[in-house]
mmCIF file of all heavy atoms in Angstrom:
data_model
loop_
_atom_site.group_PDB
_atom_site.id
_atom_site.type_symbol
_atom_site.label_atom_id
_atom_site.label_comp_id
_atom_site.label_asym_id
_atom_site.label_seq_id
_atom_site.Cartn_x
_atom_site.Cartn_y
_atom_site.Cartn_z
ATOM 1 N N TYR A 1 -69.478 -170.984 60.213
ATOM 2 C CA TYR A 1 -70.555 -171.742 60.862
ATOM 3 C C TYR A 1 -70.423 -173.161 60.337
ATOM 4 O O TYR A 1 -70.392 -173.382 59.119
ATOM 5 C CB TYR A 1 -71.907 -171.148 60.494
ATOM 6 C CG TYR A 1 -73.105 -171.964 60.911
ATOM 7 C CD1 TYR A 1 -73.837 -171.646 62.037
ATOM 8 C CD2 TYR A 1 -73.515 -173.070 60.148
ATOM 9 C CE1 TYR A 1 -74.954 -172.399 62.414
ATOM 10 C CE2 TYR A 1 -74.619 -173.829 60.514
ATOM 11 C CZ TYR A 1 -75.331 -173.497 61.646
ATOM 12 O OH TYR A 1 -76.434 -174.248 62.013
ATOM 13 N N ILE A 2 -70.324 -174.135 61.236
ATOM 14 C CA ILE A 2 -70.162 -175.525 60.822
ATOM 15 C C ILE A 2 -71.254 -176.369 61.460
ATOM 16 O O ILE A 2 -71.473 -176.303 62.679
ATOM 17 C CB ILE A 2 -68.780 -176.078 61.211
ATOM 18 C CG1 ILE A 2 -67.664 -175.218 60.604
ATOM 19 C CG2 ILE A 2 -68.626 -177.529 60.741
ATOM 20 C CD1 ILE A 2 -66.261 -175.673 60.973
ATOM 21 N N GLY A 3 -71.958 -177.176 60.645
ATOM 22 C CA GLY A 3 -73.046 -178.000 61.157
ATOM 23 C C GLY A 3 -73.131 -179.349 60.469
ATOM 24 O O GLY A 3 -72.540 -179.580 59.412
ATOM 25 N N ALA A 4 -73.879 -180.235 61.092
ATOM 26 C CA ALA A 4 -74.081 -181.592 60.561
ATOM 27 C C ALA A 4 -75.502 -181.740 60.036
ATOM 28 O O ALA A 4 -76.438 -181.141 60.579
ATOM 29 C CB ALA A 4 -73.804 -182.627 61.644
ATOM 30 N N MET A 5 -75.644 -182.575 58.975
ATOM 31 C CA MET A 5 -76.984 -182.810 58.431
ATOM 32 C C MET A 5 -77.597 -184.095 58.974
ATOM 33 O O MET A 5 -78.795 -184.330 58.790
ATOM 34 C CB MET A 5 -76.927 -182.858 56.901
ATOM 35 C CG MET A 5 -76.553 -181.509 56.287
ATOM 36 S SD MET A 5 -76.698 -181.483 54.495
ATOM 37 C CE MET A 5 -78.476 -181.576 54.284
ATOM 38 N N ASP A 6 -76.796 -184.928 59.639
ATOM 39 C CA ASP A 6 -77.343 -186.118 60.285
ATOM 40 C C ASP A 6 -76.513 -186.457 61.517
ATOM 41 O O ASP A 6 -75.398 -185.947 61.692
ATOM 42 C CB ASP A 6 -77.421 -187.308 59.324
ATOM 43 C CG ASP A 6 -76.100 -187.574 58.622
ATOM 44 O OD1 ASP A 6 -75.078 -187.716 59.319
ATOM 45 O OD2 ASP A 6 -76.098 -187.600 57.382
ATOM 46 N N GLU A 7 -77.059 -187.327 62.336
ATOM 47 C CA GLU A 7 -76.458 -187.623 63.631
ATOM 48 C C GLU A 7 -75.052 -188.200 63.494
ATOM 49 O O GLU A 7 -74.175 -187.912 64.311
ATOM 50 C CB GLU A 7 -77.355 -188.612 64.389
ATOM 51 C CG GLU A 7 -77.014 -188.754 65.861
ATOM 52 C CD GLU A 7 -77.362 -187.504 66.671
ATOM 53 O OE1 GLU A 7 -78.442 -186.927 66.438
ATOM 54 O OE2 GLU A 7 -76.524 -187.110 67.514
ATOM 55 N N GLN A 8 -74.801 -188.983 62.450
ATOM 56 C CA GLN A 8 -73.510 -189.636 62.295
ATOM 57 C C GLN A 8 -72.372 -188.639 62.035
ATOM 58 O O GLN A 8 -71.200 -188.936 62.259
ATOM 59 C CB GLN A 8 -73.554 -190.647 61.130
ATOM 60 C CG GLN A 8 -74.392 -191.887 61.390
ATOM 61 C CD GLN A 8 -75.884 -191.595 61.393
ATOM 62 O OE1 GLN A 8 -76.346 -190.664 60.723
ATOM 63 N NE2 GLN A 8 -76.639 -192.385 62.147
ATOM 64 N N ALA A 9 -72.732 -187.435 61.582
ATOM 65 C CA ALA A 9 -71.710 -186.450 61.230
ATOM 66 C C ALA A 9 -71.344 -185.524 62.385
ATOM 67 O O ALA A 9 -70.392 -184.750 62.284
ATOM 68 C CB ALA A 9 -72.180 -185.620 60.032
ATOM 69 N N VAL A 10 -72.071 -185.587 63.478
ATOM 70 C CA VAL A 10 -71.869 -184.632 64.572
ATOM 71 C C VAL A 10 -70.457 -184.723 65.151
ATOM 72 O O VAL A 10 -69.789 -183.708 65.353
ATOM 73 C CB VAL A 10 -72.922 -184.843 65.686
ATOM 74 C CG1 VAL A 10 -72.589 -183.983 66.904
ATOM 75 C CG2 VAL A 10 -74.310 -184.499 65.167
ATOM 76 N N ASN A 11 -69.986 -185.927 65.438
ATOM 77 C CA ASN A 11 -68.641 -186.070 66.017
ATOM 78 C C ASN A 11 -67.570 -185.490 65.103
ATOM 79 O O ASN A 11 -66.620 -184.854 65.566
ATOM 80 C CB ASN A 11 -68.348 -187.544 66.304
ATOM 81 C CG ASN A 11 -69.122 -188.071 67.501
ATOM 82 O OD1 ASN A 11 -69.521 -187.296 68.371
ATOM 83 N ND2 ASN A 11 -69.338 -189.379 67.543
ATOM 84 N N LEU A 12 -67.728 -185.728 63.783
ATOM 85 C CA LEU A 12 -66.762 -185.189 62.837
ATOM 86 C C LEU A 12 -66.815 -183.667 62.810
ATOM 87 O O LEU A 12 -65.778 -182.991 62.750
ATOM 88 C CB LEU A 12 -67.031 -185.756 61.448
ATOM 89 C CG LEU A 12 -66.080 -185.305 60.324
ATOM 90 C CD1 LEU A 12 -64.634 -185.643 60.678
ATOM 91 C CD2 LEU A 12 -66.483 -185.956 58.993
ATOM 92 N N VAL A 13 -68.020 -183.120 62.876
ATOM 93 C CA VAL A 13 -68.189 -181.654 62.890
ATOM 94 C C VAL A 13 -67.491 -181.048 64.103
ATOM 95 O O VAL A 13 -66.795 -180.030 63.994
ATOM 96 C CB VAL A 13 -69.689 -181.291 62.877
ATOM 97 C CG1 VAL A 13 -69.899 -179.850 63.331
ATOM 98 C CG2 VAL A 13 -70.265 -181.492 61.486
ATOM 99 N N VAL A 14 -67.652 -181.673 65.279
ATOM 100 C CA VAL A 14 -67.014 -181.162 66.495
ATOM 101 C C VAL A 14 -65.496 -181.227 66.363
ATOM 102 O O VAL A 14 -64.777 -180.296 66.756
ATOM 103 C CB VAL A 14 -67.488 -181.954 67.733
ATOM 104 C CG1 VAL A 14 -66.689 -181.553 68.963
ATOM 105 C CG2 VAL A 14 -68.980 -181.713 67.960
ATOM 106 N N GLU A 15 -64.990 -182.324 65.794
ATOM 107 C CA GLU A 15 -63.548 -182.480 65.609
ATOM 108 C C GLU A 15 -62.993 -181.406 64.671
ATOM 109 O O GLU A 15 -61.959 -180.790 64.951
ATOM 110 C CB GLU A 15 -63.264 -183.866 65.040
ATOM 111 C CG GLU A 15 -61.786 -184.145 64.802
ATOM 112 C CD GLU A 15 -61.556 -185.499 64.157
ATOM 113 O OE1 GLU A 15 -62.470 -186.363 64.227
ATOM 114 O OE2 GLU A 15 -60.472 -185.701 63.568
ATOM 115 N N ILE A 16 -63.677 -181.173 63.570
ATOM 116 C CA ILE A 16 -63.233 -180.163 62.594
ATOM 117 C C ILE A 16 -63.296 -178.762 63.204
ATOM 118 O O ILE A 16 -62.401 -177.942 63.005
ATOM 119 C CB ILE A 16 -64.107 -180.241 61.322
ATOM 120 C CG1 ILE A 16 -63.870 -181.568 60.598
ATOM 121 C CG2 ILE A 16 -63.816 -179.072 60.388
ATOM 122 C CD1 ILE A 16 -64.864 -181.831 59.498
ATOM 123 N N THR A 17 -64.370 -178.520 63.960
ATOM 124 C CA THR A 17 -64.530 -177.211 64.603
ATOM 125 C C THR A 17 -63.357 -176.917 65.538
ATOM 126 O O THR A 17 -62.800 -175.820 65.547
ATOM 127 C CB THR A 17 -65.849 -177.152 65.397
ATOM 128 O OG1 THR A 17 -66.946 -177.282 64.484
ATOM 129 C CG2 THR A 17 -65.970 -175.836 66.157
ATOM 130 N N HIS A 18 -62.982 -177.915 66.346
ATOM 131 C CA HIS A 18 -61.882 -177.728 67.292
ATOM 132 C C HIS A 18 -60.589 -177.363 66.571
ATOM 133 O O HIS A 18 -59.861 -176.447 67.001
ATOM 134 C CB HIS A 18 -61.686 -179.014 68.099
ATOM 135 C CG HIS A 18 -60.540 -178.953 69.057
ATOM 136 N ND1 HIS A 18 -60.517 -178.098 70.143
ATOM 137 C CD2 HIS A 18 -59.359 -179.625 69.087
ATOM 138 C CE1 HIS A 18 -59.382 -178.247 70.788
ATOM 139 N NE2 HIS A 18 -58.657 -179.163 70.166
ATOM 140 N N LYS A 19 -60.293 -178.039 65.461
ATOM 141 C CA LYS A 19 -59.075 -177.738 64.700
ATOM 142 C C LYS A 19 -59.150 -176.358 64.061
ATOM 143 O O LYS A 19 -58.179 -175.602 64.053
ATOM 144 C CB LYS A 19 -58.855 -178.813 63.623
ATOM 145 C CG LYS A 19 -58.508 -180.182 64.182
ATOM 146 C CD LYS A 19 -58.311 -181.195 63.066
ATOM 147 C CE LYS A 19 -57.962 -182.571 63.639
ATOM 148 N NZ LYS A 19 -57.804 -183.598 62.560
ATOM 149 N N LYS A 20 -60.308 -176.022 63.547
ATOM 150 C CA LYS A 20 -60.461 -174.740 62.848
ATOM 151 C C LYS A 20 -60.349 -173.562 63.798
ATOM 152 O O LYS A 20 -59.859 -172.485 63.432
ATOM 153 C CB LYS A 20 -61.823 -174.716 62.131
ATOM 154 C CG LYS A 20 -61.936 -173.671 61.032
ATOM 155 C CD LYS A 20 -61.075 -174.038 59.846
ATOM 156 C CE LYS A 20 -61.282 -173.066 58.696
ATOM 157 N NZ LYS A 20 -60.369 -173.366 57.569
ATOM 158 N N ARG A 21 -60.770 -173.772 65.034
ATOM 159 C CA ARG A 21 -60.743 -172.679 66.017
ATOM 160 C C ARG A 21 -59.324 -172.288 66.436
ATOM 161 O O ARG A 21 -59.149 -171.275 67.107
ATOM 162 C CB ARG A 21 -61.563 -173.062 67.257
ATOM 163 C CG ARG A 21 -63.058 -172.858 67.065
ATOM 164 C CD ARG A 21 -63.843 -173.326 68.251
ATOM 165 N NE ARG A 21 -65.270 -173.016 68.106
ATOM 166 C CZ ARG A 21 -66.249 -173.626 68.754
ATOM 167 N NH1 ARG A 21 -65.948 -174.615 69.605
ATOM 168 N NH2 ARG A 21 -67.505 -173.271 68.561
ATOM 169 N N SER A 22 -58.344 -173.064 66.049
ATOM 170 C CA SER A 22 -56.971 -172.684 66.368
ATOM 171 C C SER A 22 -56.542 -171.431 65.598
ATOM 172 O O SER A 22 -55.619 -170.731 65.998
ATOM 173 C CB SER A 22 -56.004 -173.829 66.058
ATOM 174 O OG SER A 22 -55.995 -174.112 64.657
ATOM 175 N N THR A 23 -57.249 -171.141 64.501
ATOM 176 C CA THR A 23 -56.899 -169.961 63.693
ATOM 177 C C THR A 23 -58.096 -169.098 63.323
ATOM 178 O O THR A 23 -57.934 -167.949 62.933
ATOM 179 C CB THR A 23 -56.189 -170.377 62.391
ATOM 180 O OG1 THR A 23 -57.036 -171.270 61.649
ATOM 181 C CG2 THR A 23 -54.857 -171.059 62.689
ATOM 182 N N LYS A 24 -59.316 -169.644 63.424
ATOM 183 C CA LYS A 24 -60.485 -168.919 62.944
ATOM 184 C C LYS A 24 -61.594 -168.867 63.995
ATOM 185 O O LYS A 24 -61.639 -169.674 64.915
ATOM 186 C CB LYS A 24 -61.050 -169.576 61.667
ATOM 187 C CG LYS A 24 -60.059 -169.683 60.511
ATOM 188 C CD LYS A 24 -59.678 -168.312 59.966
ATOM 189 C CE LYS A 24 -58.716 -168.462 58.772
ATOM 190 N NZ LYS A 24 -58.309 -167.152 58.230
ATOM 191 N N GLN A 25 -62.494 -167.905 63.818
ATOM 192 C CA GLN A 25 -63.705 -167.816 64.649
ATOM 193 C C GLN A 25 -64.736 -168.788 64.080
ATOM 194 O O GLN A 25 -65.062 -168.722 62.892
ATOM 195 C CB GLN A 25 -64.239 -166.387 64.611
ATOM 196 C CG GLN A 25 -65.605 -166.219 65.276
ATOM 197 C CD GLN A 25 -66.203 -164.846 65.001
ATOM 198 O OE1 GLN A 25 -65.494 -163.886 64.736
ATOM 199 N NE2 GLN A 25 -67.518 -164.760 65.038
ATOM 200 N N VAL A 26 -65.233 -169.700 64.918
ATOM 201 C CA VAL A 26 -66.154 -170.730 64.429
ATOM 202 C C VAL A 26 -67.345 -170.882 65.366
ATOM 203 O O VAL A 26 -67.190 -170.977 66.586
ATOM 204 C CB VAL A 26 -65.449 -172.102 64.299
ATOM 205 C CG1 VAL A 26 -66.418 -173.135 63.728
ATOM 206 C CG2 VAL A 26 -64.212 -172.001 63.416
ATOM 207 N N THR A 27 -68.543 -170.921 64.788
ATOM 208 C CA THR A 27 -69.754 -171.284 65.515
ATOM 209 C C THR A 27 -70.105 -172.712 65.129
ATOM 210 O O THR A 27 -70.185 -173.038 63.941
ATOM 211 C CB THR A 27 -70.920 -170.350 65.150
ATOM 212 O OG1 THR A 27 -70.599 -169.019 65.547
ATOM 213 C CG2 THR A 27 -72.203 -170.791 65.850
ATOM 214 N N CYS A 28 -70.303 -173.552 66.118
ATOM 215 C CA CYS A 28 -70.596 -174.969 65.855
ATOM 216 C C CYS A 28 -72.042 -175.279 66.245
ATOM 217 O O CYS A 28 -72.479 -174.952 67.349
ATOM 218 C CB CYS A 28 -69.639 -175.864 66.638
ATOM 219 S SG CYS A 28 -69.877 -177.636 66.343
ATOM 220 N N GLU A 29 -72.777 -175.893 65.336
ATOM 221 C CA GLU A 29 -74.140 -176.327 65.617
ATOM 222 C C GLU A 29 -74.133 -177.844 65.843
ATOM 223 O O GLU A 29 -73.800 -178.610 64.941
ATOM 224 C CB GLU A 29 -75.060 -175.978 64.451
ATOM 225 C CG GLU A 29 -76.470 -176.502 64.586
ATOM 226 C CD GLU A 29 -77.138 -176.101 65.891
ATOM 227 O OE1 GLU A 29 -77.372 -174.898 66.104
ATOM 228 O OE2 GLU A 29 -77.403 -177.009 66.727
ATOM 229 N N TYR A 30 -74.460 -178.289 67.056
ATOM 230 C CA TYR A 30 -74.391 -179.710 67.397
ATOM 231 C C TYR A 30 -75.625 -180.487 66.909
ATOM 232 O O TYR A 30 -75.557 -181.696 66.700
ATOM 233 C CB TYR A 30 -74.272 -179.890 68.910
ATOM 234 C CG TYR A 30 -73.159 -179.087 69.541
ATOM 235 C CD1 TYR A 30 -73.436 -178.148 70.521
ATOM 236 C CD2 TYR A 30 -71.842 -179.262 69.152
ATOM 237 C CE1 TYR A 30 -72.413 -177.410 71.100
ATOM 238 C CE2 TYR A 30 -70.815 -178.527 69.718
ATOM 239 C CZ TYR A 30 -71.111 -177.600 70.697
ATOM 240 O OH TYR A 30 -70.097 -176.870 71.256
ATOM 241 N N LYS A 31 -76.738 -179.809 66.751
ATOM 242 C CA LYS A 31 -77.976 -180.498 66.384
ATOM 243 C C LYS A 31 -78.057 -180.681 64.871
ATOM 244 O O LYS A 31 -77.918 -179.723 64.122
ATOM 245 C CB LYS A 31 -79.169 -179.679 66.875
ATOM 246 C CG LYS A 31 -80.505 -180.371 66.669
ATOM 247 C CD LYS A 31 -81.632 -179.532 67.258
ATOM 248 C CE LYS A 31 -82.977 -180.220 67.068
ATOM 249 N NZ LYS A 31 -84.079 -179.413 67.627
ATOM 250 N N PRO A 32 -78.276 -181.894 64.401
ATOM 251 C CA PRO A 32 -78.404 -182.112 62.953
ATOM 252 C C PRO A 32 -79.600 -181.345 62.388
ATOM 253 O O PRO A 32 -80.685 -181.332 62.983
ATOM 254 C CB PRO A 32 -78.620 -183.624 62.837
ATOM 255 C CG PRO A 32 -78.066 -184.193 64.100
ATOM 256 C CD PRO A 32 -78.336 -183.154 65.159
ATOM 257 N N LYS A 33 -79.399 -180.706 61.234
ATOM 258 C CA LYS A 33 -80.457 -179.930 60.587
ATOM 259 C C LYS A 33 -80.334 -180.081 59.085
ATOM 260 O O LYS A 33 -79.279 -180.479 58.564
ATOM 261 C CB LYS A 33 -80.344 -178.451 60.961
ATOM 262 C CG LYS A 33 -80.548 -178.131 62.428
ATOM 263 C CD LYS A 33 -80.418 -176.638 62.674
ATOM 264 C CE LYS A 33 -80.633 -176.305 64.150
ATOM 265 N NZ LYS A 33 -80.517 -174.851 64.407
ATOM 266 N N ASN A 34 -81.391 -179.684 58.384
ATOM 267 C CA ASN A 34 -81.292 -179.682 56.926
ATOM 268 C C ASN A 34 -80.547 -178.430 56.472
ATOM 269 O O ASN A 34 -80.285 -177.520 57.263
ATOM 270 C CB ASN A 34 -82.678 -179.784 56.270
ATOM 271 C CG ASN A 34 -83.591 -178.615 56.656
ATOM 272 O OD1 ASN A 34 -83.139 -177.488 56.830
ATOM 273 N ND2 ASN A 34 -84.883 -178.900 56.784
ATOM 274 N N LEU A 35 -80.193 -178.380 55.212
ATOM 275 C CA LEU A 35 -79.359 -177.303 54.681
ATOM 276 C C LEU A 35 -80.009 -175.934 54.864
ATOM 277 O O LEU A 35 -79.347 -174.960 55.253
ATOM 278 C CB LEU A 35 -79.055 -177.551 53.199
ATOM 279 C CG LEU A 35 -78.170 -176.507 52.520
ATOM 280 C CD1 LEU A 35 -76.829 -176.387 53.227
ATOM 281 C CD2 LEU A 35 -77.975 -176.852 51.040
ATOM 282 N N LYS A 36 -81.300 -175.854 54.621
ATOM 283 C CA LYS A 36 -82.001 -174.578 54.735
ATOM 284 C C LYS A 36 -81.873 -173.998 56.138
ATOM 285 O O LYS A 36 -81.592 -172.806 56.323
ATOM 286 C CB LYS A 36 -83.477 -174.757 54.364
ATOM 287 C CG LYS A 36 -84.281 -173.465 54.429
ATOM 288 C CD LYS A 36 -85.733 -173.722 54.038
ATOM 289 C CE LYS A 36 -86.554 -172.447 54.117
ATOM 290 N NZ LYS A 36 -87.983 -172.683 53.741
ATOM 291 N N ASN A 37 -82.027 -174.833 57.154
ATOM 292 C CA ASN A 37 -81.940 -174.352 58.541
ATOM 293 C C ASN A 37 -80.506 -174.019 58.946
ATOM 294 O O ASN A 37 -80.275 -173.120 59.749
ATOM 295 C CB ASN A 37 -82.528 -175.392 59.494
ATOM 296 C CG ASN A 37 -84.043 -175.415 59.448
ATOM 297 O OD1 ASN A 37 -84.674 -174.392 59.195
ATOM 298 N ND2 ASN A 37 -84.632 -176.584 59.660
ATOM 299 N N HIS A 38 -79.543 -174.748 58.385
ATOM 300 C CA HIS A 38 -78.147 -174.400 58.650
ATOM 301 C C HIS A 38 -77.812 -173.024 58.056
ATOM 302 O O HIS A 38 -77.099 -172.231 58.683
ATOM 303 C CB HIS A 38 -77.209 -175.458 58.075
ATOM 304 C CG HIS A 38 -77.020 -176.647 58.973
ATOM 305 N ND1 HIS A 38 -76.702 -176.537 60.314
ATOM 306 C CD2 HIS A 38 -77.116 -177.999 58.721
ATOM 307 C CE1 HIS A 38 -76.593 -177.742 60.846
ATOM 308 N NE2 HIS A 38 -76.852 -178.654 59.909
ATOM 309 N N LEU A 39 -78.317 -172.742 56.878
ATOM 310 C CA LEU A 39 -78.085 -171.432 56.250
ATOM 311 C C LEU A 39 -78.708 -170.319 57.096
ATOM 312 O O LEU A 39 -78.120 -169.238 57.256
ATOM 313 C CB LEU A 39 -78.651 -171.413 54.833
ATOM 314 C CG LEU A 39 -77.857 -172.223 53.805
ATOM 315 C CD1 LEU A 39 -78.648 -172.359 52.506
ATOM 316 C CD2 LEU A 39 -76.507 -171.560 53.536
ATOM 317 N N LYS A 40 -79.886 -170.601 57.652
ATOM 318 C CA LYS A 40 -80.513 -169.616 58.546
ATOM 319 C C LYS A 40 -79.658 -169.406 59.799
ATOM 320 O O LYS A 40 -79.504 -168.274 60.270
ATOM 321 C CB LYS A 40 -81.907 -170.091 58.945
ATOM 322 C CG LYS A 40 -82.950 -169.989 57.845
ATOM 323 C CD LYS A 40 -84.308 -170.448 58.367
ATOM 324 C CE LYS A 40 -85.380 -170.335 57.275
ATOM 325 N NZ LYS A 40 -86.712 -170.798 57.769
ATOM 326 N N GLY A 41 -79.113 -170.504 60.341
ATOM 327 C CA GLY A 41 -78.275 -170.400 61.534
ATOM 328 C C GLY A 41 -77.016 -169.597 61.270
ATOM 329 O O GLY A 41 -76.593 -168.775 62.098
ATOM 330 N N ALA A 42 -76.380 -169.824 60.109
ATOM 331 C CA ALA A 42 -75.178 -169.077 59.747
ATOM 332 C C ALA A 42 -75.491 -167.596 59.571
ATOM 333 O O ALA A 42 -74.718 -166.722 59.956
ATOM 334 C CB ALA A 42 -74.573 -169.649 58.476
ATOM 335 N N ASP A 43 -76.649 -167.331 58.993
ATOM 336 C CA ASP A 43 -77.054 -165.939 58.784
ATOM 337 C C ASP A 43 -77.318 -165.239 60.118
ATOM 338 O O ASP A 43 -76.996 -164.063 60.295
ATOM 339 C CB ASP A 43 -78.306 -165.912 57.904
ATOM 340 C CG ASP A 43 -78.589 -164.534 57.347
ATOM 341 O OD1 ASP A 43 -77.686 -163.953 56.714
ATOM 342 O OD2 ASP A 43 -79.710 -164.023 57.561
#
């Protein structure tokens, strides 16, 4: 599960997700969230 904590990181998250999906299963969260909510999303 890959996510961004602020708006400026979203593009980088999408780029990393695309590369990672060449070998791994990845869920990408486009909406910036705090760490606690990202952990809930991954769970």
